[in-house]
Amino acid sequence: MVRHIVIIPLLLAIGGLLAGACCASAGSDEHSLQASENASRSQPQLALAYWREIDPEQLPAQEIPRYFAKGYMLLRNQGEPSEIAELRAQILQFQSQLPTPSLSALIQLIEIEELRLAGKLFSAQYQIEQLQRSSSDWKNDYILFLVHEVSSELHKDLGQLDQAGVALERAFSWLDEHDSSQEYRRTRLLISAAALLRHSGSFSEARLNIQSALNLARASGARMDEVEALVELAQLHLAMGENQSAANHLQQALVLAKGVQSTKSELHVLAVLADLYLRQHQAAEALTASLRAKSVAESAGLWLPFWIATSHQGMAEIQSGNIAAGLSTIAPALDALAETDSYRIKLRILGQLADILAHQRAFEQANWAMQEYRKVSDEMQQTNHRWLLNQYQTQLETNRLRQQAAELILRNQLKQSALEQSGLQQQRLLLFAALLLLSVMLLVLVAQRLRLSNQRLHMSNRNLTEKSRIDKLTGLLNRGALLETLFANDRQRRHDDQYTEDGILFLIDIDHFKQINDTWGHAAGDSVLKQLAASLTDCMRGTDYIARWGGEEFVVVTPGTDLQQGLVLADKLLHAIHARETLVGHRSLQVSASMGLAALGANASQSDFERQLAVADAALYFAKNQGRNRAIAVLSHQLNEQDCQHLTERFQALVDTAKIQVATITGPERT
């Protein structure tokens, strides 16, 4: 590379004749373009330096689109909006002197990238699909590869995984056909393929793709691609519950990202790292990562990553116990994200916020976050539906114009047929009938595809609604789904026989759950939660309601059950939990649980439910204070408003004064 840099000024000095100078300039610039190709496999800043030292005015006309395409790829990978805007201005200058379809396509790609950075994903997607249907003059150009790559990323950001897979396959096909020698370009495609496989649950295949990407990146010295591969590997470990491995890969990626001076890569690492710390309840580390990400994003003018980092900051403050300050921090971020099409980002933030608030026992705010989650989910489905309709309407309009053109041609043929022999008239009438039949068949086919798309959209809406009601780890109802099931339709419940009887409210908590997590890891804790959910499901009836209330707490409502029957059921549950063991490596864990029981009257309202839940919660803590592995049932109580305040701390005193009467069921002794 150094040799080429020295040759360039020597060749320029030697050129005395015009033809010789042109040949020398073109040859040296071609070498410089190759040097920039090679440099792109190492540090991005070095690649940009090689690219910028080339004078595009000295390049042959056919090399100019390739020159700008290379610059677009380098600057896009850096993620700097200001440099992308400068590239657009430079291309416009050359486009006026040398108008080509390739340069026009590059301008559109830059506009699409600017929309994507601003979060206007549907607008960007519409433009790139228009670009794919446009001129065929650049179909064999490297720009087509960039179009397929960007299209795949946009579909993935919008959650349209099938379409993302199709675009990714087209990009791979282009490389196989036109650029198979440049294997390093496959690295990012392999990373994207791994992400799609991870989303679909194919973890082993995703790992193979990531390993291939890492090998290519390290072999070619593409440090920025190595960073992205490490981040995807960390996200795969997160999906598999291997948090420590994920943290190790992210720390390694962060060091590399700082070394290559890539704003985009550093922001990506910091966002995933903050998310990991929040999952592990490491609020201080999450706050540090989010503040660093905010600073980097603000300096680069990248506002979408800035608001994501702001959301992580607010959630870290909530985990630290400062709920009011955290919500105040998150509020402007949610408002800013509401102006974008980044639905998947908003859903992830709201879902994580609801979990953190529930863990902090801020149930009212957690319920608000879940309601916002449902609103965004519905809005995303409606927007997707509108986008599909627009696509089909565009296709129908295209078909209509084609039909009009065919009919115009047919009219001309019919006019000419009057001047020809009568024997040819029958053949032309048959042609007319065939064209009409083809048009009808085409309209029927489009209508059928639209109907099938509506059916799939309806099924997708229904599946998404169902998933939002189910706790992913245990498969039980979540808090919001339980409350919605019990109280969303009060009028209907009063006409349903199963709600006209008294019932029992169980509040169940796993004993020493924090110690299990700290000793054996969160994977062991997750297994314990699943085993407890299985015990509850085995012991309960089909008419009972079982939900994961939050953390290690579960709520069960058993309609048509009195307190004596509830005590029998509590004893059965204690023995079932004791009998079920959880394997951790080669060791078996035996767990127990504590329970609080309270009566729930017929046709209870949500306020009645919350009041009795507080009673059951106090009974649960009383059971833990009595030695755990037991159930405390509140048989009756005579509580005034003052007694209900600080009920947990005053429970023993209220029992001693007979204001609360309880019964105790002790579980089997742990072996």
Side-chain angles (χ1 to χ4, degrees), residues 379-555:
E379 182 182 353
M380 181 178 72
Q381 292 303 317
Q382 292 170 5
T383 307
N384 269 320
H385 184 61
R386 287 196 299 271
W387 179 79
L388 285 172
L389 288 177
N390 287 336
Q391 290 294 99
Y392 283 116
Q393 287 172 357
T394 302
Q395 188 63 40
L396 285 172
E397 180 64 18
T398 302
N399 293 335
R400 185 184 67 81
L401 293 174
R402 288 175 179 172
Q403 182 182 351
Q404 287 180 350
E407 290 174 353
L408 183 59
I409 293 172
L410 184 58
R411 290 193 197 102
N412 292 332
Q413 291 176 345
L414 289 174
K415 289 179 181 179
Q416 292 176 4
S417 67
L419 304 175
E420 297 178 356
Q421 298 177 2
S422 60
L424 297 176
Q425 186 174 4
Q426 185 177 4
Q427 295 179 2
R428 288 169 179 162
L429 289 174
L430 289 174
L431 177 61
F432 176 70
L435 286 173
L436 285 179
L437 179 61
L438 181 61
S439 299
V440 171
M441 291 175 62
L442 184 60
L443 289 174
V444 170
L445 178 61
V446 172
Q448 184 179 8
R449 289 187 62 187
L450 183 59
R451 179 177 58 81
L452 291 175
S453 176
N454 287 334
Q455 289 177 353
R456 286 196 293 268
L457 185 61
H458 177 72
M459 291 178 63
S460 176
N461 282 334
R462 186 172 62 186
N463 291 338
L464 187 61
T465 301
E466 186 62 26
K467 287 180 181 179
S468 68
R469 293 168 51 85
I470 300 301
D471 177 67
K472 292 182 180 178
L473 179 63
T474 62
L476 303 177
L477 294 175
N478 57 31
R479 177 199 301 266
L482 177 64
L483 293 175
E484 182 179 355
T485 302
L486 292 177
F487 305 111
N489 300 305
D490 285 338
R491 183 176 301 173
Q492 179 64 32
R493 290 193 308 110
R494 296 189 183 98
H495 293 84
D496 195 335
D497 292 337
Q498 67 174 326
Y499 292 101
T500 59
E501 301 175 290
D502 292 343
I504 299 299
L505 171 64
F506 290 73
L507 185 59
I508 304 167
D509 186 278
I510 300 173
D511 294 331
H512 304 294
F513 185 74
K514 184 178 184 301
Q515 183 178 347
I516 293 172
N517 273 337
D518 294 342
T519 304
W520 305 105
H522 288 279
D526 290 346
S527 296
V528 169
L529 291 170
K530 292 178 183 177
Q531 294 295 332
L532 181 61
S535 298
L536 294 176
T537 304
D538 291 344
C539 294
M540 295 302 171
R541 305 166 300 179
T543 57
D544 296 334
Y545 299 92
I546 313 169
R548 183 182 177 190
W549 196 245
E552 67 271 24
E553 288 188 340
F554 296 79
V555 167

Side-chain angles (χ1 to χ4, degrees), residues 189-264:
L189 299 186
L190 288 169
I191 295 170
S192 296
L196 294 180
L197 290 167
R198 170 171 57 83
H199 284 301
S200 65
S202 303
F203 295 149
S204 59
E205 295 180 34
R207 186 185 293 274
L208 290 175
N209 278 268
I210 296 173
Q211 193 57 54
S212 298
L214 275 173
N215 293 338
L216 284 174
R218 288 166 178 168
S220 60
R223 292 300 191 187
M224 191 162 59
D225 291 346
E226 185 179 353
V227 171
E228 294 300 320
L230 286 170
V231 173
E232 181 53 37
L233 183 57
Q235 291 181 311
L236 179 61
H237 282 296
L238 283 176
M240 298 169 66
E242 299 168 356
N243 293 343
Q244 187 55 50
S245 297
N248 294 337
H249 290 306
L250 287 172
Q251 291 295 344
Q252 184 181 356
L254 186 59
V255 173
L256 285 174
K258 292 179 179 178
V260 299
Q261 303 176 29
S262 170
T263 302
K264 180 180 179 181

Side-chain angles (χ1 to χ4, degrees), residues 64-74 106 141-143 146:
I64 289 179
R66 177 175 170 232
Y67 167 83
F68 284 117
K70 186 64 184 176
Y72 168 78
M73 185 186 73
L74 292 170
L106 265 175
D141 197 279
Y142 176 62
I143 296 170
L146 294 174

Side-chain angles (χ1 to χ4, degrees), residues 1-10 31 35 46 50 53:
M1 295 179 185
V2 175
R3 178 168 56 87
H4 293 314
I5 298 174
V6 174
I7 287 174
I8 292 173
L10 288 176
H31 284 302
L46 181 61
Y50 273 108
E53 74 179 13

